[in-house]
Amino acid sequence: MTSMPHLTLLGDSIFDNAAYVAGSPAVIDQVRMNLPAGWQATLLAVDGDTTTDVPRQFQRLPPDATHLALSVGGNDALGCIPRLEAPARTVKHGLVTLTAMKTEFQASYRALVNSLLALNKPLLVCTIYDAIPGLPPEFVTALGLFNDVIVREAIQHGLPVLDLRMICTEPADYSAISPIEPSSQGGAKLAASLVAVMVKHDFSVGGCQIY
């Protein structure tokens, strides 16, 4: 007997945003609203988690989980803010700092993706959105380094990518409680896109596709 599809959400507060929507539907609620009949969804993502925290999440993976979605990296980037604000002697010195940040994130993100792939279940990854109200342009540039890592890993392993930069594009997509979190409006857009990819993408074919 074939098990019914069971989507599991892993990562950080992009999925675990209930604390930031003031009683409105959170992402997990909106995902469940969009799922076809017979599907179910479980939230394992934890607000504040980084790439090195996520392995603890999938230790609680439901036995019947069939599909995985990963959205992580924003908190890794937040942890780099002191380094971004440190003085640099030259532009080259600043690039050395950025390169070190990217290299460290690449190592942790790659290890995480490899661990998830070892579970042998269809996996989708998300980029980090960058239209956060008030986010300085130089921080958007730095986020591009993190997103480059995510997309490159997806290409290498033939994973679909949900590009949140193209989804959460309006100020109202971000929470009034904490602007780095998705609002209920942003969550609704994210959830609809996520479910559409999960249902329509042919994971058996392989090859990275960006949605």
Side-chain angles (χ1 to χ4, degrees):
M1 180 178 177
T2 304
S3 61
M4 300 302 290
H6 186 166
L7 170 61
T8 302
L9 307 183
L10 302 158
D12 55 27
S13 56
I14 303 305
F15 288 154
D16 183 27
N17 72 325
Y20 306 103
V21 293
S24 296
V27 166
I28 183 61
D29 305 312
Q30 293 160 325
V31 165
R32 289 169 177 155
M33 292 174 195
N34 281 276
L35 286 173
W39 281 67
Q40 60 178 314
T42 293
L43 175 68
L44 295 184
V46 176
D47 180 10
D49 273 7
T50 66
T51 50
T52 57
D53 298 316
V54 174
R56 291 199 298 270
Q57 298 175 17
F58 58 81
Q59 291 172 3
R60 299 181 285 115
L61 196 70
D64 61 345
T66 58
H67 294 70
L68 309 176
L70 174 68
S71 182
V72 73
N75 291 314
D76 298 74
L78 282 173
C80 291
I81 288 178
R83 295 161 75 180
L84 288 173
E85 294 180 334
R89 296 186 302 275
T90 63
V91 173
K92 180 180 178 181
H93 183 252
L95 290 173
V96 168
T97 299
L98 292 174
T99 300
M101 288 166 40
K102 180 179 179 180
T103 300
E104 292 164 12
F105 178 67
Q106 183 177 44
S108 60
Y109 192 83
R110 177 174 293 167
L112 173 58
V113 168
N114 286 337
S115 295
L116 288 170
L117 290 172
L119 300 175
N120 198 31
K121 301 180 188 298
L123 171 65
L124 170 147
V125 300
C126 300
T127 61
I128 306 166
Y129 52 41
D130 59 9
I132 298 166
L135 186 68
E138 59 270 25
F139 283 19
V140 175
T141 299
L143 279 178
L145 300 176
F146 288 77
N147 281 318
D148 182 62
V149 167
I150 293 170
V151 172
R152 284 175 179 267
E153 289 300 311
I155 291 171
Q156 180 177 347
H157 296 290
L159 303 175
V161 179
L162 188 63
D163 194 345
L164 301 188
R165 294 172 294 183
M166 300 295 105
I167 295 171
C168 295
T169 57
E170 306 172 58
D173 293 334
Y174 298 88
S175 170
I177 298 172
S178 172
I180 63 172
E181 317 294 349
S183 66
S184 194
Q185 172 181 300
K189 293 162 70 173
L190 187 164
S193 298
L194 174 62
V195 171
V197 175
M198 280 294 178
V199 172
K200 297 176 183 178
H201 183 80
D202 188 348
F203 287 90
S204 66
V205 172
C208 175
Q209 189 166 348
I210 300 178
Y211 293 94

